[in-house]
Amino acid sequence: DASLQEARFLGSQHKAFLLIRRLPLFEQVDPSCLSEVTALLKRVVASPGAFVIQSGEEGKCMYFVGSTPQQTIGSGLHLGEDLARGIQRSKCLSVIVDGHEVTRLGTGDYFGEVALVSQKDHRRTADVIALSTCELFELSREDMQTVIAKFPILEARLTCMAEARLKRAQSSQHHHQHGPHGGSASSLTSTDNNATSEGALDHLESGNLRVFSRMTSDVSSDGNT
């Protein structure tokens, strides 16, 4: 039924808009940017065990993590509480670098930007595997380039996040290869030099949680207008 499909599409777009507008990535950007990104997002569902992205392949898109069976994004007065709880408990994706898990991702996270903004050949640097069924919103490389051409602040933020992810993955890889106390003085210095990028990444990640924790009052206000 065409009307049912249209309703589902509009519902998906509304859900995506509610998700991305509270991410630190989009803080203090022109409202038209949010509308444009939302219109470009494509909803996909990853099944348990599926490789969402694979290391070495060409990166053609990035993803924003929506809901999971354990944490379904709704709408209205309880949206803020749902997302705040979900970000803490629902990690539905495993990030693997050279056979080692370096982190897990869940509702409110995004990934796949490294190959798009930090790799000249656009090659993926990690595997991302679904641990459970999860909803993703896909933004193609071409659409992302169109958006950041209009809103350059997004490119700067994505690049910062991508570089921090790369350094964190390299640090984790070194830890697995040499152990917590292994490695030469030069490699330890390199790890120490990651502090700035680590701090930037931690700021963005903790910002997600802080923003989602404030959502209840924001959404309550929306619901009363």
Side-chain angles (χ1 to χ4, degrees):
D1 184 88
S3 60
L4 180 59
Q5 289 182 342
E6 182 179 3
R8 287 177 176 172
F9 173 74
L10 292 175
S12 176
Q13 279 204 318
H14 178 63
K15 188 186 297 186
F17 177 79
L18 290 175
L19 177 72
I20 69 169
R21 73 170 180 168
R22 290 178 170 83
L23 297 180
L25 174 64
F26 294 101
E27 280 186 351
Q28 299 180 341
V29 299
D30 191 302
S32 63
C33 175
L34 290 174
S35 299
E36 186 164 339
V37 171
T38 299
L40 294 171
L41 292 175
K42 175 185 175 182
R43 180 181 179 273
V44 296
V45 177
S47 302
F51 280 78
V52 181
I53 64 177
Q54 288 186 275
S55 179
E57 70 181 6
E58 181 182 359
K60 297 182 179 180
C61 61
M62 64 175 292
Y63 296 93
F64 298 88
V65 187
S67 60
T68 72
Q70 294 78 31
Q71 190 281 306
T72 301
I73 299 178
S75 59
L77 299 180
H78 301 295
L79 176 63
E81 294 177 357
D82 289 345
L83 283 174
R85 284 197 303 268
I87 231 178
Q88 296 174 55
R89 79 177 186 218
S90 181
K91 298 293 185 180
C92 58
L93 296 157
S94 176
V95 182
I96 309 293
V97 177
D98 291 334
H100 301 287
E101 182 178 80
V102 295
T103 191
R104 290 190 177 190
L105 304 173
T107 302
D109 289 323
Y110 57 89
F111 64 96
E113 81 288 351
V114 171
L116 305 189
V117 299
S118 291
Q119 300 295 103
K120 292 182 179 180
D121 60 1
H122 300 298
R123 295 295 168 186
R124 299 292 193 193
T125 58
D127 298 321
V128 176
I129 304 171
L131 300 174
S132 61
T133 302
C134 56
E135 177 183 55
L136 304 170
F137 293 97
E138 177 185 297
L139 181 65
S140 73
R141 185 170 74 204
E142 292 76 14
D143 288 339
M144 187 196 75
Q145 290 171 342
T146 299
V147 172
I148 63 179
K150 296 180 182 178
F151 307 97
I153 190 174
L154 293 184
E155 183 174 23
R157 291 177 179 178
L158 284 168
T159 300
C160 177
M161 183 69 168
E163 291 176 351
R165 283 194 204 269
L166 279 173
K167 290 190 175 183
R168 174 171 286 185
Q170 290 166 358
S171 178
S172 176
Q173 180 183 11
H174 174 81
H175 175 85
H176 284 295
Q177 288 177 345
H178 301 286
H181 304 295
S184 64
S186 61
S187 66
L188 292 175
T189 301
S190 175
T191 302
D192 292 339
N193 287 338
N194 291 342
T196 301
S197 294
E198 288 279 353
L201 180 57
D202 289 340
H203 172 73
L204 287 170
E205 290 179 341
S206 62
N208 284 352
L209 183 55
R210 289 198 304 274
V211 170
F212 283 121
S213 296
R214 295 198 301 267
M215 289 176 66
T216 305
S217 59
D218 293 344
V219 178
S220 296
S221 298
D222 292 344
N224 293 329
T225 57

